[in-house]
Amino acid sequence: MKKVTYLILLAAAAAILWSWLGWHSTDSPVADESGATELVAVRRGDISVRVLSSATITPENKLDIKAPLAGRAEAVLVEIGQKVKRGQTLAMMSSSERAALLDAARAKGPKESAFWEDIYKPAPLVAPLDGVIISRTLVPGQVVTTSDVAFIMSDHLIAKASMDETDLAKIFMGQRAVITLDSYPDQPIEGEVSKIAYNGLTTNNVTTYPVDVAMKSIPDFARSGMTASVGFLQETKKGVLLLPADAVSGGGTVQIPAGGTGQDSVSKTVTTGVSDGKNIEITGGLAEGEQVLRTVYRLPEQKSQKGFSLLPRPTHRRGSGASPAPSPPPR
């Protein structure tokens, strides 16, 4: 009995070892650590240098609109999302006295009610500025006090960026900027700096300054609370010589292919200008159309891995696309 148990344990250990060796065989991921090289040509194009910052879309001014008197809402004339003009009537309000008088008149009949409604008019609740209704808590027949918020409205939307103090010196009033909403990355919005805060905000020993960016044209899909990124334009050059930034080393050195083989290379020092992180300006040492080498690192290739199994792996006959059908069980 002990001999049988020993043989079973030995067989199990052998199976586990066999599975472990199969897991760490040639089916493991293989990485290309050396990287491959490719030729890139000096081209002519435009380059823009920007300072990037995160931002939030928010109204420049947001107002809570409260009832001018305690009483009851007789009619509500606007909806959420509706654009309104300054002085436009948003709702008609009855004072507490008028509401009580009208209720008593309605109990006496329509003639009495019409009489008092004609001589005792409701008070209008009007919009204090041009903007959009972004919240409405008032419904017809609702009793309110002067402390209750009936509507919330906002004027035009802006992008409020949070600028690190180390980059604040690069920002100035009227500076051009490009706003990119996270929800609509393919539809950039032109803007310009309209306000730079004088008081900074310090969080975790990091000081930032709010910077307001006005949109030249507010798209219909922009909503308050959306997250965005803002690129503040520092410098733009048109028709200059460009190379990918990763083709030029930190010391301004490029690799020129030797003998046209694309394998051997010689180092050459060039002079560079501005860079946007993706491309870099070449101001000397290379001409348009000349080619340089750059290294392209590829991600490791992930191959299939085989898990542990005590069952034998299925085998297929050569030239057959399917496994042989199992034989029927004996009767």
Side-chain angles (χ1 to χ4, degrees):
M1 185 66 181
K2 292 182 178 180
K3 185 176 181 181
V4 174
T5 304
Y6 175 77
L7 291 175
I8 293 174
L9 293 175
L10 182 62
I16 293 173
L17 179 61
W18 172 81
S19 178
W20 184 88
L21 291 174
W23 180 274
H24 291 79
S25 64
T26 56
D27 289 336
S28 299
V30 177
D32 182 6
E33 298 179 354
S34 61
T37 58
E38 67 176 8
L39 288 171
V40 291
V42 180
R43 62 179 180 86
R44 194 170 294 276
D46 303 337
I47 187 170
S48 296
V49 182
R50 300 174 181 177
V51 177
L52 298 178
S53 175
S54 59
T56 302
I57 304 301
T58 183
E60 185 173 18
N61 297 296
K62 184 170 69 172
L63 295 177
D64 293 340
I65 302 175
K66 301 179 181 180
L69 46 81
R72 183 173 65 198
E74 298 296 340
V76 180
L77 307 177
V78 294
E79 299 291 339
I80 296 176
Q82 181 175 337
K83 294 181 179 180
V84 297
K85 295 291 185 180
R86 181 179 181 180
Q88 180 177 338
T89 301
L90 307 180
M92 301 299 295
M93 306 294 300
S94 287
S95 64
S96 299
E97 293 79 6
R98 183 180 187 274
L101 181 62
L102 288 181
D103 289 345
R106 291 188 183 106
K108 295 181 180 181
K111 185 176 180 180
E112 186 78 10
S113 175
F115 171 78
W116 286 106
E117 286 180 358
D118 183 59
I119 66 172
Y120 198 170
K121 300 295 184 180
L125 178 59
V126 300
L129 48 76
D130 295 349
V132 178
I133 302 297
I134 61 175
S135 177
R136 192 196 81 176
T137 60
L138 196 65
V139 295
Q142 181 179 350
V143 176
V144 297
T145 66
T146 54
S147 61
D148 295 331
V149 177
F151 302 94
I152 301 177
M153 68 175 299
S154 68
D155 56 2
H156 58 275
L157 297 175
I158 62 170
K160 186 172 286 292
S162 182
M163 184 61 56
D164 189 274
E165 62 177 329
T166 58
D167 292 327
L168 191 64
K170 304 174 184 177
I171 308 302
F172 54 89
M173 294 294 294
Q175 183 177 11
R176 288 180 56 200
V178 177
I179 304 164
T180 304
L181 303 178
D182 291 356
S183 303
Y184 299 88
D186 298 329
Q187 302 186 52
I189 306 166
E190 292 289 332
E192 64 177 26
V193 176
S194 60
K195 186 185 296 183
I196 303 173
Y198 284 90
N199 186 36
L201 305 175
T202 302
T203 304
N204 296 327
N205 295 324
V206 177
T207 302
T208 58
Y209 288 81
V211 175
D212 293 355
V213 181
M215 302 183 219
K216 292 186 176 180
S217 177
I218 302 175
D220 293 336
F221 53 77
R223 296 289 186 273
S224 178
M226 284 184 168
T227 54
S229 62
V230 179
F232 298 92
L233 191 62
Q234 298 296 301
E235 187 178 1
T236 298
K237 292 187 175 182
K238 297 183 178 295
V240 297
L241 298 180
L242 299 175
L243 269 178
D246 56 2
V248 184
S249 68
T253 303
V254 296
Q255 300 298 318
I256 305 295
T261 62
Q263 301 296 327
D264 299 327
S265 63
V266 294
S267 298
K268 183 176 183 179
T269 302
V270 297
T271 55
T272 59
V274 299
S275 174
D276 61 1
K278 183 179 180 181
N279 296 305
I280 188 169
E281 178 190 9
I282 304 298
T283 58
L286 290 173
E288 183 178 1
E290 286 192 74
Q291 293 183 322
V292 303
L293 288 168
R294 74 167 178 175
T295 303
V296 181
Y297 292 94
R298 296 182 174 87
L299 292 176
E301 181 182 357
Q302 186 73 27
K303 295 185 178 181
S304 62
Q305 296 179 341
K306 299 176 182 178
F308 169 74
S309 176
L310 291 175
L311 298 176
R313 295 173 180 167
T315 57
H316 301 278
R317 293 181 181 179
R318 183 173 299 176
S320 174
S323 301
S327 59
R331 295 183 179 178

